[in-house]
Amino acid sequence: MTGKILIVDDELDILELLEMIIAERTPYLVVTTNNPLEVPHLLKENPFDLLITDLRMPGLSGMDLIREAKTIYPDMPVIVITAYGSSQSAEESIAEGAYDYITKPFRKDHIIITINRAMEWHAMKKELETLKARIKTE
Amino acid sequence: MGRLKTLFRKKESGPHPDRVMEAQLRQKFGAFRRLLADNQEVMEIITDLEEKYNGDYIFDMQYLRASIRRLSEKVYSLIHLLNEISNLKYGELYRTYEQIYQELTDLLAKKRKIPVDDLVLTFDRITLEKEESVGGKMANLGELRNRLGLTVPEGFAITAYAYKEFIRYHHLQEEITQHLTQLDINNLEDLIVVSRDIQKRILEKPIPPFLEEILVQSYQDLAGKTGGPVKVSLRSSALGEDSRLSFAGQYGTILNVSREDMGEKYKEIVASKFTPRAILYFIGKGFQEEDIAMGMGCMRMIQAKAGGVMYTVDPGNPQRPEAVIHAHWGLGKTVVDGTVTPDVFWVSKEGPYQLRQSHLARKEKMLVNNPEGGITWKEVAPDLQDGPCLSETIIGQLGRIAGIIENHFSHPQDIEWVLDERDEIYLLQTRPLKIFTQKGIPSSQEIPELSQFPVLLETGVMGAQGVGSGPVFVAHQERDLVNFPAGGILVARTPSPKLVTIMSKAKGIITDLGSSASHMAALAREFRVPTLLNTQKATEILAPGLEITVDATNCRVYQGKVEKLIEYAEEESVNPFEDTPLFILFDKILTRIVPLNLVDPTQADFTPAHCRTFHDIIRFTHQTATQEMFSLSTSPLTASGEALRLDTETPLEILLVDLGGGIDALLKGKKVKPDQILSWPMRSFWQGVQSMKWPGPKPLDMKGFASVVVRTAAEPGGENRIYSEKSFALLSKDYMNFSIRLGYHLSTIEVLGGPGENENYIKFIFKGGGATIDRRDRRARLVATILEKIGFQVGQKLDLVDARLLHHPKEVMEKVLFSLGKLTVYTKQLDMVMFNDAIVDWSIEEFFKEHMAR
């Protein structure tokens, strides 16, 4: 199963490490940006199976981003990256529709597991939609 | 006994208690406890940092900044507390601290200094060492040209210093700083306005005459070399631009620039430092704007027949031994940008540089230089659209270049190149290539061979990751270490920084006790010695000489040499993030924190002046604070402190100072009965003392050798002298610092035992005696041998015995203290009878048989 992941974080270091580790450990394609403002544009241009976003960024907050993303792809899971000690906002992001959150710093294995789960969830969701559609037409 | 008791009572009317002194003692003790807690915390922070440095974690600058801030605060606190304990003896440490702290702050702020240099440097003057002047991109190109003899287009670099002079000439810095300070980075409109204003200010300024002049001159020199007017490309090569991710290509590159346009285009690239996105970047990253100086490369435009990139390792298949070339007709920019589908060739990097495989693409359009300046799209001639854009000869030449560059930089490279119409290859850029290997999440179960090897140990905590194999060497004492064989696995009861002496030869370290936050574990990580701690029973289970394999990462020890596991671990131990800028910075930061230079407190360089890292300061403060505390009960401070008398059957005069929770508060002001002591170390010790029969002056009930002991003991000075001095014990609930003057010798026992084993210790120093030096020496040997047998690490020099027991749980310490109590009574005046070595051996045997068996 291949899929595409978009990662947004204003910290280039995180983007770089995440990109490396996802490329090493998963078959997924990764697109990264440190500019949250270009995310809506990127999402409209290309379909993504997963969005991973930081919660606090200059320009546009992760929370705004979740809302934006949900209007473009309601079914796309969003994983939120939060700083240590900000679990409250992480919970708020779940209320806002995020699939899961992960607190920095995190183990490589942890993010890979979270990503795989989200991707599987998304694949199932898509399959379900296809089946529903088929039932309707039949 | 009666006579002694009378003497004892007389002594009761001592000096009036001085509450101030006692308060000072309490304060010092309080500072000491805080110091120990801080010490534990700093070691935990360092361990945490090192764990992140292994490459198993993903983190950001914020984590680094927060950790370093917390660490710095605690290190400062350690220095402060040590000075509180020692009456400001170590003020010098503050200076060392300030220096390290400043370096760390600069590193974290990523401050760079722009070196004064010529405004322009021709390529023949540039190598890697010039990176701070011309930026990484141009420094690499210079290296290719001058160190490797490869061809790069003729040209020159405009230095970061030229940029600084440009800004200074027009007094632009004040304006820029003012704009940026007022900027609300979360306000996008604001950001766009600020960006536009700064860029406008830069673009409207003329190039200063001195810069104009040197640019024109350099251009003419270039034209002279290449025979006539040329077009050039201007490429940003900023300091601090680390050419990665979305920031790569952030700053401008302008192709096919004429002489007339050079000044304008120079300013355009300078202005590209202030695009909204670039501003977001350096503010978000905590860069100082002034530190990002814009260096630039200016090189002759090559009339490109074909161009592209070459990876010296195929990122899609790193196992392949070949380099991979992506090529297209015209300028290589299209390949770099990904706007075309290129031809792909795999070529060997070693002679005879053969083409191994090609994937050809249909190439309909290409990008070329526009004769009027700039670049333009053009149709590819129909007969060239489907064939390869490179000949096998050119591909072979590129393969050779790949080999040379990769070899030189010792790392896979991402190379931009262009081929001119005379089939000459020019290199435009080289930078490290990030390589990913496709692997699953590993586990030791994946190695089926493992089942053939018996598991000897499956406990403990990882001190330093990795796998090592070799014969077991059990060290009971520090002095055993001199015989440690190269390639051995050291097995010891407790971790000690002294083990550093063997770390360069050890394949692994296993201890019974200890935690990963110990100094030794930090050293092991630094030396990359796989280390397994707190196994409880390694010294019992692992027989000397036995060949074992220790898998510290998974806390396992196998019998035999597990080759597969060693190979597997070697592959795994490569940190994939090692070459990322974050880790390069992290590495620089850690070198100011982790290395431990002050290993041995007995060496002359164990001083504040020799502290070079935070770890040195931490080690120094810890060691010195313990020493200061140790000598507290013999210091003049104690002599006048408010003390309570211990009500004891022995003829000793023992005064107790309660540092908090050591004695039942209700009893203060009275004589303290032994069972009213709340300090558990004192209780255990005293129970040991009481379990022995106190040898009186004429002990008719004692048989054999023991009677000899006592008879002789009465000789010089007699009992009067012996018990005339007071002994002091400073006590808290879990602390005891007891200086016992017994006869002519002094022994000091210090014990700290909390719930966490890492800080627990018993220190015991024994010195002096009334007999001749050889007899005292023999008694010291007796004491040392017995202490070793009950688990201490012991050092002995003449009549001085210095013993310590570290990191043990309370239950073990209670037993040891009980034995120490027995030993203290047993050795009372024993030096008098130490006529020969045989008596020493006899006494040791007797002590264990008569007193320890029960």
Side-chain angles (χ1 to χ4, degrees):
Chain A
M1 183 182 70
T2 55
K4 266 174 87 177
I5 304 173
L6 177 62
I7 313 180
V8 199
D9 199 308
D10 59 318
E11 279 251 24
L12 287 181
D13 298 308
I14 284 268
L15 287 181
E16 182 169 28
L17 304 189
L18 273 175
E19 191 179 12
M20 283 176 82
I21 207 64
I22 293 171
E24 187 185 308
R25 298 270 178 95
T26 77
Y28 309 127
L29 293 171
V30 178
V31 175
T32 64
T33 175
N34 66 336
N35 182 1
L37 297 173
E38 71 180 26
V39 170
H41 170 71
L42 282 170
L43 286 177
K44 279 172 198 154
E45 214 170 52
N46 277 296
F48 282 92
D49 300 279
L50 173 64
L51 173 68
I52 302 177
T53 179
D54 190 9
L55 215 45
R56 290 190 59 190
M57 290 174 289
L60 188 66
S61 85
M63 218 70 89
D64 296 336
L65 213 58
I66 300 172
R67 274 177 228 126
E68 283 262 11
K70 287 280 162 191
T71 59
I72 302 167
Y73 298 121
D75 284 344
M76 178 181 63
V78 179
I79 297 173
V80 164
I81 300 174
T82 67
Y84 177 75
S86 57
S87 60
Q88 197 193 338
S89 46
E91 283 151 21
E92 281 167 28
S93 72
I94 298 288
E96 204 61 61
Y99 174 79
D100 203 349
Y101 69 88
I102 190 161
T103 306
K104 286 187 281 193
F106 46 84
R107 287 190 85 93
K108 290 190 299 198
D109 298 350
H110 189 174
I111 187 73
I112 296 298
I113 292 166
T114 311
I115 287 172
N116 284 333
R117 260 194 14 236
M119 293 298 265
E120 277 162 27
W121 180 84
H122 188 224
M124 269 161 53
K125 188 105 181 167
K126 276 203 285 195
E127 208 172 314
L128 189 69
E129 291 304 321
T130 323
L131 286 174
K132 271 189 195 164
R134 203 189 294 166
I135 291 165
K136 259 187 196 167
T137 50
E138 274 167 10
Chain B
M1 261 329 227
R3 197 169 55 110
L4 280 168
K5 273 185 179 165
T6 321
L7 189 80
F8 193 49
R9 273 192 213 108
K10 267 187 208 157
K11 280 274 155 195
E12 259 176 53
S13 54
H16 190 73
D18 184 343
R19 287 177 186 280
V20 179
M21 286 300 192
E22 195 192 340
Q24 279 187 15
L25 273 180
R26 285 225 181 95
Q27 192 194 343
K28 278 177 198 280
F29 181 67
F32 180 58
R33 296 307 296 264
R34 290 204 299 282
L35 183 137
L36 292 178
D38 283 352
N39 181 74
Q40 176 69 20
E41 201 174 329
V42 290
M43 291 313 290
E44 278 166 13
I45 299 172
I46 290 179
T47 308
D48 186 64
L49 283 168
E50 288 184 301
E51 187 180 55
K52 303 297 179 286
Y53 185 67
N54 276 340
D56 282 339
Y57 280 82
I58 289 177
F59 58 89
D60 54 9
M61 280 301 292
Q62 205 189 336
Y63 161 79
L64 272 187
R65 291 208 179 91
S67 301
I68 302 303
R69 196 188 318 118
R70 210 152 50 89
L71 180 66
S72 304
E73 279 167 13
K74 288 289 165 190
V75 172
Y76 188 86
S77 162
L78 284 177
I79 299 173
H80 183 74
L81 292 167
L82 173 62
N83 277 299
E84 195 173 322
I85 295 165
S86 66
N87 301 322
L88 308 174
K89 267 197 245 166
Y90 304 99
E92 205 183 339
L93 281 171
Y94 286 109
R95 239 176 303 145
T96 317
Y97 170 86
E98 277 305 327
Q99 199 187 330
I100 299 171
Y101 178 73
Q102 194 52 51
E103 285 175 44
L104 287 172
T105 312
D106 287 351
L107 279 170
L108 285 169
K110 302 185 176 176
K111 273 196 183 163
R112 283 164 186 265
K113 291 214 165 57
I114 299 165
V116 177
D117 208 328
D118 291 342
L119 301 173
V120 160
L121 291 175
T122 45
F123 281 171
D124 57 335
R125 294 173 61 195
I126 299 171
T127 50
L128 267 188
E129 291 77 14
K130 280 285 179 193
E131 189 177 346
E132 290 295 296
S133 268
V134 299
K137 211 187 273 180
M138 289 304 125
N140 275 343
L141 267 193
E143 185 79 2
L144 294 185
R145 182 191 187 277
N146 301 317
R147 289 247 163 82
L148 302 183
L150 297 171
T151 311
V152 305
E154 299 82 354
F156 54 90
I158 311 168
T159 61
Y161 187 67
Y163 163 83
K164 201 175 157 187
E165 287 295 292
F166 170 67
I167 297 288
R168 183 154 61 196
Y169 183 80
H170 292 300
H171 307 288
L172 282 166
Q173 192 58 57
E174 295 79 0
E175 272 183 65
I176 293 170
T177 309
Q178 202 184 2
H179 266 105
L180 291 176
T181 328
Q182 287 165 359
L183 170 67
D184 171 10
I185 197 155
N186 290 308
N187 181 337
L188 184 64
E189 282 119 56
D190 202 12
L191 177 66
I192 290 169
V193 171
V194 165
S195 160
R196 202 183 48 209
D197 287 355
I198 299 177
Q199 295 199 54
K200 184 164 158 275
R201 294 294 286 148
I202 292 171
L203 293 171
E204 69 192 17
K205 300 287 184 200
I207 297 282
F210 61 87
L211 187 54
E212 176 83 40
E213 192 185 324
I214 187 98
L215 286 182
V216 169
Q217 185 60 49
S218 304
Y219 177 86
Q220 278 168 356
D221 290 350
L222 181 60
K225 270 185 228 161
T226 49
V230 287
K231 294 269 171 50
V232 294
S233 65
L234 273 180
R235 289 167 184 260
S236 69
S237 179
L239 271 62
E241 175 191 19
D242 34 22
S243 64
R244 55 192 178 126
L245 294 170
S246 33
F247 196 48
Q250 181 81 61
Y251 301 138
T253 286
I254 303 172
L255 299 180
N256 214 27
V257 179
S258 63
R259 189 187 77 86
E260 296 71 33
D261 290 340
M262 257 186 63
E264 273 315 301
K265 300 297 176 197
Y266 174 81
K267 288 191 294 181
E268 271 179 37
I269 293 181
V270 168
S272 74
K273 187 181 146 183
F274 298 97
T275 60
R277 201 178 146 110
I279 295 175
L280 261 184
Y281 172 81
F282 61 64
I283 292 188
K285 297 284 285 178
F287 274 116
Q288 303 294 314
E289 179 276 325
E290 306 97 287
D291 298 335
I292 306 175
M294 188 59 78
M296 236 174 275
C298 176
M299 51 181 119
R300 178 171 75 86
M301 234 14 232
I302 305 295
Q303 291 306 318
K305 179 167 144 190
V309 293
M310 170 163 66
Y311 302 124
T312 62
V313 168
D314 184 351
N317 188 358
Q319 266 70 44
R320 277 187 85 133
E322 297 108 14
V324 58
I325 302 165
H326 294 241
H328 200 276
W329 294 117
L331 291 166
K333 179 177 163 33
T334 54
V335 179
V336 179
D337 297 347
T339 44
V340 297
T341 309
D343 290 344
V344 185
F345 307 101
W346 284 264
V347 60
S348 64
K349 292 176 273 184
E350 286 163 17
Y353 311 108
Q354 279 167 326
L355 170 65
R356 292 281 161 77
Q357 196 188 341
S358 352
H359 281 170
L360 300 185
R362 188 171 177 81
K363 304 169 283 292
E364 291 170 349
K365 282 201 295 185
M366 62 179 173
L367 208 53
V368 293
N369 296 332
N370 192 337
E372 284 82 52
I375 46 179
T376 186
W377 285 101
K378 195 181 151 189
E379 289 290 322
V380 174
D383 57 324
L384 295 178
Q385 288 187 357
D386 295 312
C389 63
L390 296 180
S391 71
E392 282 201 30
T393 318
I394 297 296
I395 292 168
Q397 284 174 17
L398 281 169
R400 181 179 152 269
I401 290 169
I404 293 172
I405 300 182
E406 184 178 69
N407 197 26
H408 182 70
F409 289 100
S410 309
H411 194 283
Q413 296 285 307
D414 166 355
I415 301 160
E416 208 180 315
W417 55 272
V418 63
L419 185 72
D420 79 355
E421 274 152 354
R422 292 170 302 134
D423 272 355
E424 177 113 37
I425 298 166
Y426 291 87
L427 303 175
L428 302 177
Q429 187 172 333
T430 185
R431 58 182 176 187
L433 173 70
K434 286 176 280 179
I435 287 290
F436 313 106
T437 43
Q438 201 83 31
K439 254 191 295 209
I441 297 169
S443 85
S444 51
Q445 277 81 3
E446 285 172 13
I447 304 167
E449 287 82 353
L450 277 184
S451 56
Q452 300 161 15
F453 296 89
V455 175
L456 300 175
L457 275 174
E458 214 169 354
T459 54
V461 293
M462 180 182 86
Q465 68 172 6
V467 175
S469 183
V472 169
F473 180 90
V474 182
H476 296 288
Q477 289 300 311
E478 271 158 25
R479 61 172 175 269
D480 295 342
L481 294 177
V482 294
N483 299 317
F484 184 79
I489 305 259
L490 182 81
V491 177
R493 182 93 181 120
T494 54
S496 151
K498 292 212 172 166
L499 298 182
V500 73
T501 52
I502 55 95
M503 279 189 188
S504 52
K505 341 188 240 183
K507 288 281 181 201
I509 296 173
I510 307 172
T511 65
D512 291 354
L513 303 164
S515 90
S516 62
S518 60
H519 290 285
M520 192 216 72
L523 284 169
R525 290 189 289 271
E526 198 185 323
F527 279 81
R528 296 177 184 232
V529 185
T531 298
L532 180 58
L533 304 166
N534 205 25
T535 60
Q536 302 299 330
K537 51 191 175 183
T539 52
E540 275 171 48
I541 288 181
L542 304 174
L546 181 71
E547 172 125 273
I548 58 165
T549 301
V550 52
D551 176 356
T553 315
N554 295 302
C555 299
R556 249 190 231 160
V557 176
Y558 299 90
Q559 188 173 335
K561 186 172 187 178
V562 193
E563 295 274 9
K564 288 270 183 218
L565 190 59
I566 299 165
E567 285 167 24
Y568 190 85
E570 271 167 9
E571 272 174 42
E572 278 296 295
S573 71
V574 179
N575 172 0
F577 303 145
E578 210 164 55
D579 296 320
T580 61
L582 182 66
F583 273 77
I584 292 168
L585 174 70
F586 200 174
D587 187 61
K588 284 185 191 154
I589 286 172
L590 286 189
T591 57
R592 310 302 295 124
I593 295 173
V594 177
L596 185 58
N597 306 297
L598 264 60
V599 178
D600 189 349
T602 62
Q603 294 297 307
D605 64 357
F606 201 87
T607 65
H610 287 89
C611 291
R612 299 208 296 270
T613 63
F614 270 179
H615 200 170
D616 286 336
I617 297 182
I618 296 161
R619 173 103 172 97
F620 182 84
T621 52
H622 184 256
Q623 177 71 26
T624 314
T626 347
Q627 273 164 12
E628 292 282 340
M629 286 308 288
F630 193 77
S631 56
L632 217 53
S633 57
T634 53
S635 74
L637 200 61
T638 332
S640 49
E642 182 193 358
L644 301 166
R645 197 171 303 272
L646 181 65
D647 190 2
T648 159
E649 291 299 306
T650 69
L652 295 169
E653 184 178 6
I654 296 171
L655 297 174
L656 308 175
V657 178
D658 186 17
L659 298 169
I663 299 163
D664 193 335
L666 293 172
L667 295 164
K668 288 198 177 164
K670 299 182 193 167
K671 266 192 177 182
V672 178
K673 291 206 184 305
D675 61 353
Q676 290 161 335
I677 292 170
L678 299 178
S679 167
W680 72 259
M682 183 66 183
R683 281 181 80 103
S684 303
F685 178 77
W686 201 251
Q687 278 161 9
V689 169
Q690 286 179 314
S691 74
M692 297 285 279
K693 187 164 179 58
W694 190 266
K698 291 183 180 93
L700 297 171
D701 55 329
M702 293 187 82
K703 293 170 203 155
F705 174 71
S707 60
V708 182
V709 175
V710 179
R711 256 203 317 279
T712 329
E715 284 162 17
E719 294 280 331
N720 294 2
R721 265 286 294 283
I722 292 168
Y723 302 115
S724 63
E725 290 199 69
K726 294 181 202 121
S727 296
F728 281 95
L730 311 181
L731 303 176
S732 87
K733 188 168 156 284
D734 49 13
Y735 178 77
M736 170 179 91
N737 185 327
F738 192 5
S739 284
I740 312 159
R741 293 183 189 278
L742 192 61
Y744 292 88
H745 74 263
L746 170 75
S747 48
T748 303
I749 304 167
E750 192 186 37
V751 185
L752 181 76
E757 292 163 24
N758 200 35
E759 286 293 346
N760 288 4
Y761 63 83
I762 301 176
K763 280 185 198 167
F764 180 69
I765 287 196
F766 181 91
K767 179 159 175 54
T772 55
I773 185 71
D774 57 323
R775 291 187 191 184
R776 278 187 273 149
D777 185 16
R778 285 195 195 105
R779 182 173 62 175
R781 186 161 75 78
L782 172 132
V783 170
T785 313
I786 291 174
L787 288 173
E788 275 184 13
K789 280 182 190 278
I790 56 179
F792 279 82
Q793 294 170 32
V794 186
Q796 186 205 337
K797 216 176 205 178
L798 295 175
D799 66 342
L800 174 78
V801 179
D802 179 348
R804 55 204 60 204
L805 185 99
L806 307 170
H807 313 309
H808 283 64
K810 184 181 163 186
E811 307 80 68
V812 176
M813 291 169 75
E814 280 174 331
K815 285 185 194 141
V816 169
L817 283 166
F818 186 77
S819 308
L820 275 186
K822 281 178 174 289
L823 181 66
T824 304
V825 179
Y826 184 73
T827 54
K828 176 176 109 60
Q829 294 176 303
L830 216 51
D831 57 336
M832 299 300 177
V833 291
M834 294 283 136
F835 305 114
N836 57 47
D837 291 344
I839 295 179
V840 175
D841 298 334
W842 189 90
S843 305
I844 294 168
E845 201 180 311
E846 195 217 32
F847 179 75
F848 281 97
K849 207 164 71 193
E850 294 293 316
H851 304 294
M852 296 294 286
R854 273 164 268 157

